[in-house]
């Protein structure tokens, strides 16, 4: 997508992988100091050795300090498990929580539309997927009444134990309000649900008046009894944000209020896959402990970070504006994350043509779009949507000039498509 990597992140990682670069005069001293500190924490001072299963102890300590700065709440390294991207941690936590047979089988509440990792992992673990629908009319807000409906329905045929929240949303790009998070925590407390907060887009907030509130911070601000009992796992990753380092496969989960015996089982479970990739752990360390004012790398780091995030904010607005000018397309504001999820009206003849080909109507539209324009978007049916509505997910990542052309091409293709099937 043409996004430039952040220099400091790559320099420290490169130094750790190729320590002879420590003699290279063009690389700033703070990057070298960081690399030496990280190498000293690696087994045999090498990034090629296994680390401890939950991750390098030093990196876990740095993640704990990062969380403490972010939330103003103590964080302990032993509650932090590094992982092969957030996905790996999400699957580990789900594995831990799934049990029972028939009516006692674990039910997992997930938002619709959702990131398909959840439905896939739930299916693979033979757990029960319980859908709660986000409210498209109110910018994909989460409504506790809808959670109650999904829970009550689920209780008729399984044992709901887990509530998953994606904030900021993927594919929907909404940012939950603080009040909404409080309501969800109260609901989880009342219904004895384990909360999984997928917060990998926490750096990607664009809308005026939107702010990221971590579930942990809100939980502890609410105080007892909530802060003492509600079990929470929250996830973060180097794949999104301003970093975009998805190929390094690095992330972490922090667990809060987990029963010590259960946490012992989690430690055992993660040890089965030996350890997360060490270069990814190194890169994660630079993300949670970035250059500080006065450091040689600080000015460049801040400039690069701001450039990425402000370009994304501009592209979020551009996407929404262009789509909303097209009759038949409706796009909610992209408040955060990296995607727009516009709703499209499809004429009856298009629905018939899709049926004849054995395809979902929005899949039919997306395939035609791909064949005619070379633009690849993901049909809403891949994420789940309310019956009778159609969407597609499109990333806002391409460079601005490309994105502008892409949006215009897509809009005129849609108009032509509707005409053809009307």
């Amino acid at each position: 997508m043409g996004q430039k990597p952040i220099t400091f992140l790559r320099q420290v990682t490169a130094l750790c992988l190729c320590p002879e670069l420590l003699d290279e005069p063009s690389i700033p001293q703070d990057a070298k100091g960081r690399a030496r500190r990280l190498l000293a924490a690696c087994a045999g001072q090498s990034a090629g050795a296994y680390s401890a299963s939950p991750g390098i102890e030093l990196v876990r300590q740095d993640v704990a300090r990062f969380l403490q700065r972010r939330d103003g709440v103590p964080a302990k390294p032993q509650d932090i498990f590094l992982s092969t991207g957030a996905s790996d941690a999400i699957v580990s936590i789900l594995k831990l929580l799934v049990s029972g047979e028939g009516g006692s089988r674990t039910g997992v509440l997930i938002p619709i539309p959702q990131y398909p990792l959840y439905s896939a992992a739930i299916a693979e673990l033979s757990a029960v997927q319980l859908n709660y629908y986000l409210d498209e009319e109110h910018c994909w807000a989460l409504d506790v009444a809808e959670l109650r409906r999904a829970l009550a329905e689920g209780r008729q045929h399984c044992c709901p134990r887990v509530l998953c929240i994606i904030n900021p949303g993927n594919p929907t790009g909404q940012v939950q309000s603080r009040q909404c998070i409080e309501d969800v925590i109260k609901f989880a407390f009342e219904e004895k649900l384990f909360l999984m907060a997928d917060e990998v887009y926490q750096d990607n907030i664009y809308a005026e008046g939107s702010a990221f509130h971590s579930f942990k911070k809100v939980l502890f601000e609410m105080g007892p009894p909530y802060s003492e009992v509600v079990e929470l796992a929250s996830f973060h990753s180097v794949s999104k944000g301003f970093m975009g380092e998805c190929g390094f496969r690095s992330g972490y989960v922090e667990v809060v209020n987990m029963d010590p015996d259960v946490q012992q089982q989690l430690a055992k479970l993660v040890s089965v896959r030996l350890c997360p990739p060490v270069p990814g752990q190194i890169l994660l360390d630079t993300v949670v402990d970035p250059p500080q004012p006065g450091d040689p790398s600080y000015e460049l780091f801040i400039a690069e970070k701001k450039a990425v995030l402000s370009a994304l904010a501009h592209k979020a607005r551009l996407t929404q504006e262009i789509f909303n000018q097209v009759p038949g397309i409706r796009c909610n504001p992209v408040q955060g994350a990296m995607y727009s999820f516009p709703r499209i009206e499809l004429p009856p003849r298009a629905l018939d043509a899709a049926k004849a080909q054995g395809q979902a109507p929005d899949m039919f539209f997306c395939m035609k779009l791909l064949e005619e324009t070379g633009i690849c978007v993901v049909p809403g049916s891949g994420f789940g949507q309310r019956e009778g509505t159609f969407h597609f997910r499109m990333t806002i990542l391409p460079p601005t000039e490309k994105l502008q052309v892409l949006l215009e091409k897509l809009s005129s293709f849609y108009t032509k498509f509707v005409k053809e099937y009307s």
Side-chain angles (χ1 to χ4, degrees):
M1 290 289 157
Q3 183 176 311
K4 296 263 188 297
I6 304 289
T7 305
F8 182 77
L9 275 55
R10 288 291 181 95
Q11 281 176 337
V12 174
T13 309
L15 288 162
C16 290
L17 294 177
C18 189
E20 49 270 34
L21 290 175
L22 287 163
D23 300 326
E24 173 57 54
S26 66
I27 298 177
Q29 283 308 319
D30 55 341
K32 290 178 181 175
R34 181 64 58 81
R36 287 192 184 97
R37 178 175 175 262
L38 283 160
L39 282 171
C42 291
Q45 303 214 341
S46 167
Y50 283 127
S51 76
S53 295
I56 298 167
E57 184 58 29
L58 177 76
V59 181
R60 293 166 79 199
Q61 288 167 4
D62 287 344
V63 171
R65 279 191 282 269
F66 160 80
L67 291 168
Q68 219 153 303
R69 286 194 307 274
R70 186 194 71 182
D71 298 333
V73 176
K76 300 197 290 279
Q78 61 267 34
D79 293 337
I80 291 155
F81 295 81
L82 308 189
S83 56
T84 309
S87 308
D88 171 47
I90 289 166
V91 172
S92 294
I93 297 289
L94 281 172
K95 260 186 195 164
L96 194 68
L97 298 171
V98 171
S99 67
E101 288 306 321
S104 70
R105 193 68 180 158
T106 296
V108 182
L109 288 140
I110 63 168
I112 298 292
Q114 53 108 24
Y115 176 51
L117 163 72
Y118 291 92
S119 48
I122 289 165
E124 197 179 330
L125 297 168
S126 305
V128 183
Q129 178 177 325
L130 303 173
N131 297 339
Y132 65 87
Y133 289 89
L134 300 174
D135 183 358
E136 185 169 13
E137 302 310 312
H138 294 93
C139 210
W140 300 111
L142 193 163
D143 174 27
V144 173
E146 171 59 13
L147 287 179
R148 283 192 205 290
R149 178 207 60 78
L151 183 70
E153 264 178 38
R155 284 203 168 129
Q156 292 170 15
H157 59 94
C158 69
C159 177
R161 288 192 178 93
V162 191
L163 169 56
C164 298
I165 311 281
I166 309 174
N167 178 48
N170 172 11
T172 42
Q174 86 289 10
V175 177
Q176 306 290 1
S177 68
R178 196 186 178 292
Q179 184 56 55
C180 170
I181 292 171
E182 245 184 67
D183 294 344
V184 168
I185 289 170
K186 284 178 182 160
F187 174 77
F189 170 79
E190 286 159 18
E191 303 295 349
K192 296 189 168 48
L193 295 171
F194 187 105
L195 270 176
M196 290 177 63
D198 179 338
E199 299 176 331
V200 300
Y201 293 100
Q202 59 190 259
D203 290 307
N204 302 99
I205 310 286
Y206 317 121
E208 207 57 45
S210 285
F212 171 72
H213 303 280
S214 78
F215 264 78
K216 185 186 179 192
K217 182 176 198 223
V218 176
L219 176 62
F220 280 86
E221 283 174 354
M222 287 166 75
Y226 308 105
S227 57
E228 289 168 355
V229 241
V230 174
E231 294 175 284
L232 167 70
S234 61
F235 306 90
H236 196 17
S237 161
V238 303
S239 300
K240 321 295 179 190
F242 58 93
M243 308 79 74
E245 295 286 12
C246 42
F248 278 92
R249 308 308 306 128
S250 185
Y252 67 81
V253 56
E254 182 191 23
V255 295
V256 175
N257 291 329
M258 184 178 268
D259 179 285
D261 292 341
V262 177
Q263 199 160 323
Q264 195 49 52
Q265 295 302 318
L266 176 60
K268 204 187 288 183
L269 183 62
V270 302
S271 69
V272 175
R273 53 109 177 93
L274 301 176
C275 73
V278 172
Q281 296 185 49
I282 287 166
L283 192 119
L284 172 65
D285 191 82
T286 64
V287 172
V288 296
D289 186 13
Q292 296 306 305
D295 291 351
S297 300
Y298 179 73
E299 299 296 335
L300 178 63
F301 171 78
I302 287 296
E304 290 176 336
K305 176 180 173 176
K306 277 194 176 143
V308 171
L309 292 175
S310 61
L312 284 170
H314 170 67
K315 292 185 283 192
R317 285 190 298 275
L318 183 73
T319 303
Q320 169 197 340
E321 282 163 15
I322 293 181
F323 278 148
N324 283 331
Q325 287 165 9
V326 184
I329 302 184
R330 233 191 70 206
C331 185
N332 269 325
V334 181
Q335 296 175 327
M338 297 179 171
Y339 314 99
S340 62
F341 196 64
R343 180 169 170 173
I344 50 173
E345 302 295 330
L346 296 175
R349 280 188 53 225
L351 307 192
D352 298 340
K355 200 173 181 182
Q357 295 207 13
Q359 285 180 341
D362 46 13
M363 178 64 169
F364 177 73
F365 170 79
C366 290
M367 289 307 289
K368 287 265 184 247
L369 172 72
L370 178 62
E371 285 159 14
E372 282 200 30
T373 65
I375 297 170
C376 181
V377 297
V378 189
S381 45
F383 302 94
Q385 54 199 347
R386 280 203 183 272
E387 193 64 43
T389 68
F390 308 109
H391 302 78
F392 60 83
R393 184 188 84 164
M394 192 186 96
T395 177
I396 61 169
L397 286 172
T400 309
E401 319 67 69
K402 265 193 188 162
L403 184 67
Q404 179 103 32
V405 173
L406 202 141
L407 289 165
E408 284 162 4
K409 263 191 177 177
L410 203 158
S411 301
S412 57
F413 171 81
Y414 171 77
T415 308
K416 181 174 145 271
F417 178 90
V418 169
K419 209 175 264 174
E420 191 182 326
Y421 286 96
S422 288

